[in-house]
């Protein structure tokens, strides 16, 4: 009798372990997992244009071997999480292991503001805590939790990582896998409320489909009716155009625009580069948008791509060509483009095209990938586990050839949300555009305004120097200005331009070479020698710099 009870107990424990994570009752065999992993690796190697662009083959193989060693020893949920960790090491935002199998989520959405992690959407039972700061998640302080979850994030740069790491913090299986939470059923959150007091709340996990909600931004979660803390609105109320919501969160539909008469501005928010069944297709919509611009003749035209995670890149030229045809809006003080950490895929292609072919002023944060990136992902399904993986199949060169910078420093005016601004419906980017006259340092120099240029440079270094990704101007942009000034016989202005370039890009031998050339033309041999010696220090193989030093010393 006791043996019978013991056997029943063991069976119950086994079934509980299988079902407690919301997964299938039957564990896959090591053979089945090996088949799945082999299938995944074979397709990664066959489909991806450069699988080891951001990781080494050795690192990938070590992680593959480590994962393989867990087969038959760990539950399926952990192995699925292990697949996510493996794919994340590739560091390609389009090559992503789906959470379609480990699909238990906690009904909460977080966002990483400059002053911490905050709840931006949560279930109805806890709706009063939307806007609260997160101090601890599960058994881990929030800073440590962020570090731990990074291994589960397919991210190309720090901006993508900031966007996606908080998504994974809602997944019950992932939190358990990385040791932040003890189980997948409930989650304890320690928060600081708006009045400064602290509280512990408990969330219950639910089964969800994660494929769509990740695309929609910070107020959308794995469930459709999370509360956002704005006038008792749910996340999907932010798709209805309510006028009492701030402009940036008013209508998170694929595309829409609004005329702001007080500012004489047309604000255009493009969230998906694709047709939307409930409205005009994109081609018709864009035609109506620019017809409005021609009719209204606004002082400013703002394109907001901060919440655009991609779409069909073939559609961006229609927007680009409409801007290029209109000199009246294609000006730095009239055309503004807002970029952010969520800007990705087709949005990157549009950002790159606008940077290359228009005179737009760029405001916000760098985008979630470099202008040159991998994309056009295709989905595969593993034969036994049925887990799916998206794999990049093409390389998109939207920037300069050879540029491997995954964090494009193309922002003229840095701007990001603090929690106070966000939860009070304030948009720092729009506030700056409407209240501050911005002129590029390169523009001031090209106009011969040396003192104004120096003052602007100093002010921007002071104001925005804490953004490690910010650069006051582009290296090539300033070098071009310098040589243009030389052609205009404005040597003092040219020297100022090159000197500023060496301050902003001190490790570039090219900017020191240009400065040396300008000093030679000005007859300042001593400073020219110093500049060319700096070139040699940074680029010991520079024959021209060595010849220049030798010639100047002889003179």
């Amino acid at each position: 009798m006791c043996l019978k009870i013991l056997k029943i107990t063991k069976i119950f424990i086994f079934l509980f372990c299988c079902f407690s994570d919301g997964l299938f009752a039957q564990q896959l065999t090591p053979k089945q997992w090996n088949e799945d992993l082999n299938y995944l690796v074979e397709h990664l190697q066959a489909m991806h244009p450069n699988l080891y662009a951001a990781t080494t083959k050795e690192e990938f193989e070590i992680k593959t071997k480590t994962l393989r060693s867990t087969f038959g020893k760990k539950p399926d949920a952990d192995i699925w999480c292990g697949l996510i960790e493996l794919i994340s090491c590739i560091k390609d935002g389009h090559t992503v292991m789906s959470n379609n199998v480990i699909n238990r989520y906690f009904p909460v959405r977080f966002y990483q503001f400059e002053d911490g992690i905050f709840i931006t959407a949560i279930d109805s039972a806890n709706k009063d805590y939307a806007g609260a700061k997160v101090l601890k998640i599960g058994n881990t302080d929030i800073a440590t939790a962020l570090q731990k979850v990074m291994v589960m994030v397919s991210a190309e740069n720090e901006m993508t990582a900031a966007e996606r790491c908080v998504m994974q913090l809602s997944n019950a299986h992932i939190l358990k896998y990385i040791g932040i939470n003890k189980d997948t059923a409930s989650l304890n959150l320690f928060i600081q409320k708006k009045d400064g007091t602290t509280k512990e709340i408990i969330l219950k996990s639910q089964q969800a489909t994660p494929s769509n909600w990740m695309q929609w931004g910070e107020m959308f979660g794995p469930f459709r009716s999370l509360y956002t803390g704005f006038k008792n609105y749910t996340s999907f109320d932010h798709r209805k155009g309510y006028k009492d919501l701030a402009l940036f969160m008013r209508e998170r539909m694929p595309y829409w625009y609004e005329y702001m008469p007080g500012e004489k501005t047309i604000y255009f928010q493009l969230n998906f580069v694709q047709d939307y069944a409930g409205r005009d297709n994109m081609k018709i919509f864009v035609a109506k948008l620019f017809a409005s611009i021609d009719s209204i003749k606004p002082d400013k035209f703002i394109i907001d791509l901060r919440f655009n995670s991609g779409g069909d890149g073939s559609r961006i030229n229609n927007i680009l060509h409409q801007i290029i045809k209109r000199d009246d809006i294609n000006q730095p003080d009239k055309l503004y483009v807002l970029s952010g950490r969520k800007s990705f895929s087709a949005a990157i292609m549009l950002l790159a095209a606008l940077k290359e072919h228009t005179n737009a002023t760029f405001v916000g944060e760098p985008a979630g990938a470099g202008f040159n990136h991998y994309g056009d992902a295709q989905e595969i399904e593993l034969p036994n586990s049925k887990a799916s993986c998206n794999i990049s199949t093409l390389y998109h060169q939207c920037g300069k050839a050879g540029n491997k910078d995954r964090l494009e420093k193309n922002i003229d005016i840095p701007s990001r949300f603090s929690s106070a601004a966000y939860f009070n419906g304030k948009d720092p980017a729009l506030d700056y555009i409407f209240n501050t006259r911005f002129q590029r340092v390169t523009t001031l120099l090209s106009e011969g305004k040396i003192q104004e240029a120096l003052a602007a440079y100093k002010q921007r270094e002071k104001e925005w120097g804490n953004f490690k990704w910010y650069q006051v101007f582009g290296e090539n942009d300033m070098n071009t200005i310098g040589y243009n000034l030389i052609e205009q016989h404005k040597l003092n202005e040219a020297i100022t331009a090159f000197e500023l370039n060496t301050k902003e890009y001190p490790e570039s031998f090219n900017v020191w070479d240009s400065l040396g050339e300008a000093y030679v033309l000005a007859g300042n041999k001593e400073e020219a020698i110093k500049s060319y010696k700096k070139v040699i220090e940074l680029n010991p193989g520079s024959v021209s710099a060595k010849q220049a030093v030798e010639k100047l010393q002889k003179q």
Side-chain angles (χ1 to χ4, degrees):
M1 183 70 176
C2 292
L3 287 175
K4 188 174 182 181
I5 292 173
L6 182 60
K7 288 181 180 179
I8 293 172
T9 302
K10 286 182 177 180
I11 293 171
F12 174 78
I13 291 172
F14 172 77
L15 291 175
F16 176 79
C17 290
C18 292
F19 280 109
S20 62
D21 281 343
L23 302 170
F24 300 138
Q26 184 177 355
Q27 290 276 92
L28 295 183
T29 65
K31 179 184 177 183
Q32 289 173 311
W33 275 122
N34 273 300
E35 289 173 353
D36 274 14
L37 184 56
N38 291 339
Y39 185 90
L40 175 63
V41 172
E42 288 170 7
H43 280 75
L44 284 167
Q45 293 172 338
M47 295 169 64
H48 199 288
N50 186 0
L51 187 61
Y52 308 115
T55 191
T56 64
K57 183 178 181 181
E58 292 73 21
E59 181 185 357
F60 183 78
E61 288 178 345
I62 288 171
K63 285 187 175 292
T64 303
K65 184 178 179 181
T66 301
L67 177 59
R68 203 182 295 275
S69 70
T70 66
F71 297 165
K73 300 175 183 177
K74 288 191 175 183
D76 281 357
D78 282 357
I79 296 174
W80 276 309
C81 288
L83 289 170
I84 293 174
E85 184 176 0
L86 172 67
I87 295 301
S88 296
C89 85
I90 297 169
K91 298 182 178 67
D92 174 3
H94 280 91
T95 300
V96 182
M97 201 75 202
S98 173
N99 295 2
N100 66 310
V101 179
I102 51 168
N103 57 2
R104 291 204 70 82
Y105 284 82
F106 295 107
V108 63
R109 184 66 195 267
F110 308 108
Y111 189 83
Q112 190 170 176
F113 294 99
E114 61 182 11
D115 51 335
I117 305 295
F118 287 75
I119 295 172
T120 50
I122 197 165
D123 62 349
S124 59
N126 296 286
K127 63 183 179 181
D128 292 340
Y129 306 122
K133 185 175 185 178
V134 181
L135 305 176
K136 191 175 177 182
I137 181 167
N139 56 20
T140 309
D141 68 88
I142 191 62
T144 305
L146 285 175
Q147 291 176 350
K148 286 187 173 183
V149 81
M150 283 300 178
V151 299
M152 309 298 289
V153 178
S154 291
E156 301 196 22
N157 60 34
E158 63 192 66
M159 306 311 297
T160 328
E163 168 67 18
R164 294 186 178 181
C165 70
V166 288
M167 294 179 181
Q168 300 293 51
L169 287 176
S170 291
N171 186 282
H173 308 279
I174 287 175
L175 292 182
K176 183 182 176 185
Y177 175 77
I178 60 178
I180 287 178
N181 200 35
K182 61 183 180 180
D183 60 51
T184 61
S186 63
L187 175 68
N188 291 44
L189 281 183
F190 293 85
I191 61 172
Q192 183 180 59
K193 298 190 293 183
K194 294 178 182 179
D195 62 7
T197 60
T198 59
K199 183 177 177 62
E200 180 182 4
I201 61 175
I202 300 175
L203 302 176
K204 300 295 183 182
S205 69
Q206 303 171 39
Q207 188 167 318
T209 302
S211 58
N212 291 326
W213 72 269
M214 286 190 176
Q215 306 290 325
W216 286 96
E218 76 289 347
M219 75 269 297
F220 294 89
F223 312 102
R224 289 177 174 261
S225 297
L226 298 183
Y227 283 78
T228 63
F230 294 97
K231 300 182 183 295
N232 218 28
Y233 286 149
T234 65
S235 51
F236 269 73
D237 288 328
H238 291 261
R239 299 176 65 184
K240 298 177 180 178
Y242 291 140
K243 300 294 184 182
D244 54 351
L245 285 170
L247 200 62
F248 70 91
M249 61 174 66
R250 182 175 299 171
E251 196 170 352
R252 293 289 178 86
M253 302 302 287
Y255 38 81
W256 64 280
Y257 72 92
E258 182 170 312
Y259 176 56
M260 306 169 67
E263 292 80 12
K264 291 196 68 177
T265 294
I266 287 183
Y267 171 86
F268 166 38
Q269 192 176 92
L270 179 60
N271 297 323
F272 292 97
V273 188
Q274 63 185 30
D275 288 340
Y276 178 59
R279 300 192 174 183
D280 292 330
N281 64 43
M282 274 201 70
K283 185 174 182 180
I284 294 174
F285 170 84
V286 169
K288 289 182 177 179
L289 167 64
F290 283 92
S292 294
I293 289 173
D294 293 338
S295 174
I296 295 171
K297 299 190 183 304
D299 288 346
K300 291 179 174 62
F301 177 41
I302 298 172
I303 304 174
D304 192 347
L305 300 175
R306 289 176 294 182
F307 314 105
N308 191 318
S309 57
D312 182 354
S314 68
R315 299 173 185 270
I316 67 173
N317 283 341
N318 187 28
I319 298 171
L320 179 67
H321 293 163
Q322 295 289 350
I323 294 171
I324 292 173
K325 290 192 296 186
R326 292 168 170 82
D327 292 337
D328 55 335
I329 61 167
N330 189 13
Q331 301 176 34
D333 59 342
K334 291 193 172 185
L335 178 61
Y336 293 87
V337 177
L338 308 188
S339 167
R341 65 188 69 174
K342 195 173 182 63
S343 306
F344 195 68
S345 195
I348 301 286
M349 299 171 71
L350 180 53
L351 284 168
L354 291 168
K355 181 69 175 177
E356 178 71 18
H357 300 293
T358 76
N359 297 309
T361 297
F362 288 76
V363 186
E365 298 177 317
F371 288 167
N372 298 339
H373 62 276
Y374 299 94
D376 281 54
Q378 293 183 14
E379 184 180 55
I380 64 167
E381 183 179 85
L382 306 190
N384 298 308
S385 65
K386 304 304 178 183
S388 63
C389 181
N390 289 321
I391 302 175
S392 292
T393 61
L394 291 176
Y395 179 65
H396 293 286
Q397 184 179 300
C398 302
K400 291 183 172 65
N403 181 18
K404 297 181 180 180
D405 194 344
R406 291 171 154 238
L407 188 68
E408 295 285 349
K409 302 173 179 66
N410 63 309
I411 300 298
D412 298 304
I413 303 170
S415 178
R416 60 185 179 187
F417 289 103
S418 66
S419 62
Y422 179 88
F423 291 111
N424 284 294
K426 304 294 183 183
D427 191 336
L430 294 186
D431 288 344
Y432 192 98
I433 291 171
F434 294 139
N435 298 313
T436 307
R437 185 169 184 263
F438 177 82
Q439 282 188 293
R440 293 189 177 97
V441 173
T442 50
T443 300
L444 292 168
L445 277 175
S446 66
E447 294 173 352
K449 299 175 181 177
I450 295 181
Q451 295 307 314
E452 291 93 329
L454 292 172
Y457 179 79
K458 185 176 181 180
Q459 175 61 29
R460 286 161 200 176
E461 282 284 281
K462 179 181 177 181
E463 185 177 358
W464 297 324
N466 62 313
F467 295 98
K468 62 180 180 179
W469 41 260
Y470 172 66
Q471 290 173 323
V472 182
F473 45 76
E475 177 185 338
N476 293 334
D477 294 338
M478 184 59 84
N479 236 33
T480 299
I481 292 295
Y483 282 111
N484 288 342
L485 290 167
I486 287 176
E487 290 180 2
Q488 298 169 28
H489 306 290
K490 296 179 180 179
L491 272 178
N492 288 337
E493 290 88 342
I495 289 172
T496 299
F498 292 134
E499 285 177 340
L500 285 177
N501 226 5
T502 61
K503 287 183 179 180
E504 195 71 4
Y505 302 93
E507 301 303 314
S508 169
F509 70 85
N510 184 58
V511 300
W512 290 100
D513 187 81
S514 298
L515 180 59
E517 185 178 343
Y519 278 137
V520 168
L521 293 173
N524 192 336
K525 297 176 186 177
E526 183 178 348
E527 291 300 323
I529 290 173
K530 289 181 182 178
S531 296
Y532 283 123
K533 284 185 175 180
K534 187 68 177 178
V535 174
I536 296 168
E537 177 188 329
L538 295 169
N539 182 23
S542 176
V543 176
S544 61
K546 292 175 182 177
Q547 291 174 341
V549 170
E550 184 179 348
K551 181 178 179 181
L552 288 166
Q553 287 176 335
K554 284 181 179 180
Q555 291 176 348

